[in-house]
Amino acid sequence: MLDPHFIRENPERVRTAIRQKNSGSVELVDRVLELDESYRACLTELQQNQSDANTVSASIGELMRAGKQEAAGEAKSRAAELKVNIKEKHAEAKTISGELNALLLEIPNIPHDSVPEGKGADDNQVVFETNDKPAFEFEPVPHWDLLDKHNLVDFDRGSKVTGAGFPFYLGQGARLQRALVAFFLDLAVKEGGYQEIQPPYVVNSGSATGTGQLPDKEDQMYELARDDLFLIPTAEVPITNFFRDEIIDEDDLPVKFCAYTPCFRREAGSYGKDVRGLNRIHQFDKVELVQFVHPDLSYEALEGLRADAERALDRLKLPYRRLLMCTGEMGFTQAKKYDLEVWSAGQKKWLEVSSISNYEAYQARRMKIRYRPKGAVKPTILHTLNGSGLALPRIVAALLENNQQDDRTIRIPEVLVPYTGFDVIG
RNA sequence: GGAGAGGUGGGUGAGUGGCUGAAACCACUGGUUUGCUAAACCAGCGUACUCUCAACAGGGUACCGAGGGUUCGAAUCCCUCCCUCUCCGCCA
């Protein structure tokens, strides 16, 4: 969330952000300002009463010890009056702050100045594109045909056992998954300087709120209602919450974590053309990169994170492009976001395989993640970033489609062979 | 799942109703001393919110796992929940 002080002092900036992100109504800001003011007024009164009550209480102790029972009795009744008032004000303050907090969670992050304005996908800027789309002397087929031909994935049995979008990976298909995960993790650890961790795959509601899945996006998560827990839609959730409510030494920044996890997404409301094959499934594997950084360095870190994700694509020799997302296409927690899309020769389209974002202080403020600047200054909210490095299914799709040969066998990229143990599928 | 014990500041740990935002020690920061290092000594050292203030700074409130309750007054008593540990059961 945004700093309430910031909203108080820059309401117009916040209204602009709401319009740009097309998320929520600008009246939110006015209600927040109203509530903020009445909250503080209420608080002032409450605290004054508490202060008086404390003084009276202290005097009672003294009077009792001095044996002045009568005076003590009078003071007690005085304190009782104050108490009633305190209780009222306390309840009032709590109500107001509850409402205020709920609203604050619905105000989106402010886009960075370098983010292009725009409403839809057409306004995203392609800021980089490799020029190595593969050429074919035959008509390349979509990956689902290849999966089928080589028996790499079994969608039907996945549907029987669980439901649509929960495929089984078989044989070389399963092996390829494991190879990619290991390759991505090794790359992140050895060349990116990330520390590998294994987070829980299930989180509580506090964590889901911290990263911004709650409120409002619960429809995208699988919920374990009995235990009030959620299956993670991305490793971002448990990893970023790692430091929730903590203060980190400045010397320990930046902290860079990488992790492999399965991701679970309900994908409510998405049907049709984009869901074919591995394009969009409910459970998928992903290696995620997360960074906790000094606020002054977060945009540098964003480019670094982006380069880390692109390195994996380069090594796999996958053609890709980088999109700078416009204001309207960003999530409401993000300040700046790149998407990386790989070219899939069979479908002849770009597939999103990574989303790399700087959240600035937005998530960290929700989670109270701070660092202590050197030189006795107060703890300060740090900045969080994350990006996929990378998401598997579409990488697999592109890999199969781009590397298919006229006999329908599939070449495995050189860097992956030590991991797969085979250099061709089929 | 059953029984018991416990959760105090960055750490260890004292504290069973008012003088405790919290002893002591360690860590940390600054200073003195020192040829250097070490040691010793002195001082400082929680967080959030809020009010006054241009600022420096100062005042107030809250916080001893979380939330309620009792009381004029709670780290301290009561209730609920969460977590940790020990034993038993179950189990990869």
Side-chain angles (χ1 to χ4, degrees):
Chain A
M1 60 189 191
L2 296 176
D3 184 354
H5 296 97
F6 178 86
I7 300 176
R8 205 183 293 160
E9 276 148 40
N10 307 276
E12 201 41 50
R13 185 86 199 276
V14 179
R15 287 190 196 97
T16 305
I18 290 176
R19 274 187 224 107
Q20 287 175 326
K21 286 211 166 165
N22 199 18
S23 135
S25 95
V26 290
E27 276 108 67
L28 265 179
V29 178
D30 299 304
R31 293 195 54 207
V32 163
L33 291 177
E34 257 173 56
L35 285 171
D36 178 56
E37 191 164 339
S38 54
Y39 174 68
R40 282 182 297 138
C42 179
L43 204 63
T44 304
E45 205 175 322
L46 170 66
Q47 292 182 345
Q48 186 55 53
N49 281 333
Q50 284 172 323
S51 176
D52 292 347
N54 285 343
T55 310
V56 174
S57 286
S59 76
I60 291 172
E62 279 165 38
L63 291 169
M64 303 268 276
R65 249 171 281 122
K68 297 176 182 169
Q69 296 296 336
E70 255 179 64
E74 280 171 37
K76 276 191 190 184
S77 55
R78 173 84 210 289
E81 284 169 34
L82 284 167
K83 196 186 160 183
V84 174
N85 207 317
I86 288 171
K87 211 160 181 174
E88 261 173 41
K89 285 289 159 199
H90 184 71
E92 190 183 332
K94 208 174 155 180
T95 307
I96 300 176
S97 79
E99 224 175 301
L100 181 58
N101 271 322
L103 290 183
L104 285 172
L105 290 181
E106 292 184 35
I107 293 187
N109 200 0
I110 293 176
H112 188 254
D113 287 339
S114 62
V115 172
E117 285 226 29
K119 287 200 185 327
D122 293 343
D123 299 314
N124 297 330
Q125 294 176 0
V126 178
V127 290
F128 175 81
E129 185 172 328
T130 54
N131 51 7
D132 55 352
K133 282 189 196 168
F136 289 90
E137 289 171 4
F138 57 95
E139 187 56 29
V141 301
H143 68 275
W144 46 85
D145 288 346
L146 297 163
L147 293 173
D148 232 30
K149 161 136 184 87
H150 299 295
N151 202 24
L152 301 174
V153 172
D154 189 332
F155 289 100
D156 293 340
R157 291 204 173 90
S159 295
K160 175 177 70 179
V161 171
T162 303
F166 291 91
F168 280 88
Y169 297 83
L170 310 172
Q172 286 186 306
R175 195 77 180 270
L176 179 59
Q177 294 284 117
R178 182 154 61 89
L180 283 166
V181 168
F183 170 66
F184 290 149
L185 283 174
D186 281 352
L187 199 61
V189 170
K190 290 175 188 158
E191 298 192 34
Y194 291 80
Q195 187 189 346
E196 181 173 346
I197 62 173
Q198 272 197 11
Y201 300 160
V202 172
V203 294
N204 57 34
S205 58
S207 297
T209 305
T211 34
Q213 277 70 32
L214 294 179
D216 290 348
K217 284 180 161 175
E218 53 268 76
D219 286 354
Q220 285 300 322
M221 288 188 292
Y222 288 99
E223 184 175 4
L224 307 175
R226 182 170 178 170
D227 299 296
D228 193 27
L229 298 170
F230 299 88
L231 256 45
I232 57 171
T234 159
E236 165 196 350
V237 181
I239 303 177
T240 314
N241 275 282
F242 185 83
F243 287 121
R244 177 147 55 97
D245 294 318
E246 294 191 36
I247 301 172
I248 303 172
D249 280 346
E250 181 170 8
D251 288 339
D252 293 333
L253 296 180
V255 176
K256 298 163 72 174
F257 288 137
C258 64
Y260 152 75
T261 71
C263 302
F264 304 91
R265 298 190 183 176
R266 295 188 63 233
E267 303 291 359
S270 62
Y271 316 95
K273 52 184 174 12
D274 288 338
V275 304
R276 193 105 194 252
L278 294 172
N279 284 351
R280 187 184 295 275
I281 48 185
H282 290 305
Q283 177 188 318
F284 62 95
D285 295 305
K286 178 158 66 65
V287 170
E288 183 74 1
L289 309 173
V290 176
Q291 296 193 16
F292 302 85
V293 306
H294 188 288
D296 293 345
L297 302 175
S298 65
Y299 281 93
E300 227 168 275
L302 180 68
E303 299 306 319
L305 188 45
R306 196 210 77 220
D308 292 329
E310 290 178 1
R311 184 181 304 123
L313 293 168
D314 285 329
R315 297 290 165 84
L316 292 173
K317 296 194 162 43
L318 287 171
Y320 68 92
R321 63 179 191 177
R322 180 198 315 146
L323 267 47
L324 173 57
M325 307 306 279
C326 73
T327 53
E329 284 273 295
M330 268 191 289
F332 75 87
T333 56
Q334 295 144 359
K336 184 171 183 176
K337 167 167 125 171
Y338 293 112
D339 271 4
L340 301 181
E341 298 182 334
V342 293
W343 176 251
S344 68
Q347 301 178 73
K348 295 192 176 47
K349 65 179 187 184
W350 296 97
L351 301 177
E352 179 192 337
V353 292
S354 181
S355 183
I356 299 142
S357 310
N358 184 358
Y359 297 84
E360 295 190 5
Y362 194 88
Q363 287 183 329
R365 183 169 294 105
R366 282 183 168 213
M367 287 183 269
K368 291 201 187 64
I369 306 178
R370 293 168 288 177
Y371 74 99
R372 193 179 297 282
K374 284 184 217 165
V377 198
K378 295 171 63 165
T380 306
I381 305 283
L382 50 69
H383 283 192
T384 60
L385 306 92
N386 65 57
S388 339
L390 301 154
L392 293 222
R394 294 176 191 161
I395 289 290
V396 170
L399 213 60
L400 300 182
E401 293 182 19
N402 294 351
N403 293 3
Q404 59 183 297
Q405 302 173 84
D406 51 7
D407 61 355
R408 292 296 183 252
T409 61
I410 297 145
R411 275 181 303 102
I412 297 297
E414 221 173 293
V415 288
L416 222 46
V417 173
Y419 292 94
T420 54
F422 51 82
D423 59 6
V424 66
I425 291 177

